[in-house]
Amino acid sequence: MEQARRARNVAVFLFEQVEPLDFAGPFEVFLSGSNEGQDFNVYTVAANNCPVKALGGLSINPAYTIADCPKPDILVIPGGWGSRKEMNNDTITNWIRGISNDIEVILSVCTGALILAKANLLDGLKVTTNRLAIHELREIVPASTEIVEAARYVDNGKIILSAGVSAGMDAALYVIEKLLGIDRAIEAATIMEYDWRRD
């Protein structure tokens, strides 16, 4: 009998002034698609163990720090105004770059793409971000990077990037489809009563 696969670790990264739905949306998607925790172990991680203040003053206590979190199989990098500061935080970008080779999927939401760009992970890829931040992304990606402005999300294999806010939920459902099949993704969307846009 084939041994059951352990649940994939899904690390949702948090930082000051993160957009709430950018992290909470994918968190809920992977939770809803986890088959009651059997397929995804979803947790939050931040640079340190201090409470993180998201946009609007929402305070979140990260479950782990980048120094002690379980090894991620899937890493979610959300966006928000704070991404403009954190993209220049070497501690964060070095950590992302350092673990990137061992990760199955990296999903950026909205301006999380800016952080991935500064981590030097977008060379030669197709990328997207929030429509209002396309110009910011264009300023920092290599010439070999193709910006796809109209896409809800783009898949480069390991690295998947989505447009703004709710597009991150669509992309997270796409990741579930990619890893566990369309039926599981549809089931997760149904649990959330979410109208999944697959384009």
Side-chain angles (χ1 to χ4, degrees):
M1 178 180 281
E2 185 180 343
Q3 186 175 3
R5 188 196 193 285
R6 70 163 176 83
R8 288 175 168 93
N9 286 330
V10 181
V12 180
F13 187 66
L14 301 176
F15 51 85
E16 291 292 306
Q17 296 299 294
V18 64
E19 172 68 44
L21 193 57
D22 280 9
F23 76 84
F27 190 104
E28 177 65 31
V29 169
F30 285 110
L31 191 64
S32 296
S34 71
N35 189 23
E36 298 182 348
Q38 294 183 64
D39 294 318
F40 297 119
N41 171 40
V42 191
Y43 55 88
T44 53
V45 59
N48 55 57
N49 60 8
C50 297
V52 173
K53 272 200 176 172
L55 286 169
L58 176 66
S59 182
I60 314 106
N61 294 313
Y64 298 99
T65 73
I66 60 176
D68 66 13
C69 75
K71 178 183 173 185
D73 299 294
I74 299 169
L75 177 62
V76 178
I77 305 294
W81 282 110
S83 61
R84 279 84 170 177
K85 177 182 177 185
E86 301 306 338
M87 72 181 188
N88 295 310
N89 184 331
D90 290 342
T91 299
I92 290 171
T93 55
N94 288 341
W95 174 69
I96 294 170
R97 186 168 52 252
I99 65 172
S100 63
N101 287 336
D102 298 323
I103 290 180
E104 190 173 2
V105 175
I106 299 174
L107 170 62
S108 83
V109 182
C110 193
T111 54
L114 301 176
I115 296 174
L116 293 188
K118 287 290 191 166
N120 297 319
L121 294 178
L122 302 184
D123 191 10
L125 302 187
K126 291 184 177 181
V127 303
T128 196
T129 188
N130 188 300
R131 304 291 181 266
L132 301 177
I134 289 285
H135 64 287
E136 294 176 77
L137 185 60
R138 185 173 284 115
E139 290 173 0
I140 61 173
V141 294
S144 63
T145 302
E146 179 185 346
I147 294 178
V148 185
E149 296 190 33
R152 194 91 172 137
Y153 49 85
V154 291
D155 182 1
N156 295 281
K158 175 184 286 194
I159 298 180
I160 297 170
L161 303 97
S162 70
V165 195
S166 63
M169 296 178 68
D170 295 335
L173 285 163
Y174 171 75
V175 171
I176 292 178
E177 177 187 3
K178 187 173 176 174
L179 299 178
L180 300 178
I182 183 63
D183 289 346
R184 178 66 64 81
I186 290 172
E187 179 185 29
T190 301
I191 288 169
M192 297 184 296
E193 297 193 31
Y194 180 70
D195 186 11
W196 180 20
R197 288 182 55 185
R198 298 181 63 197
D199 53 351

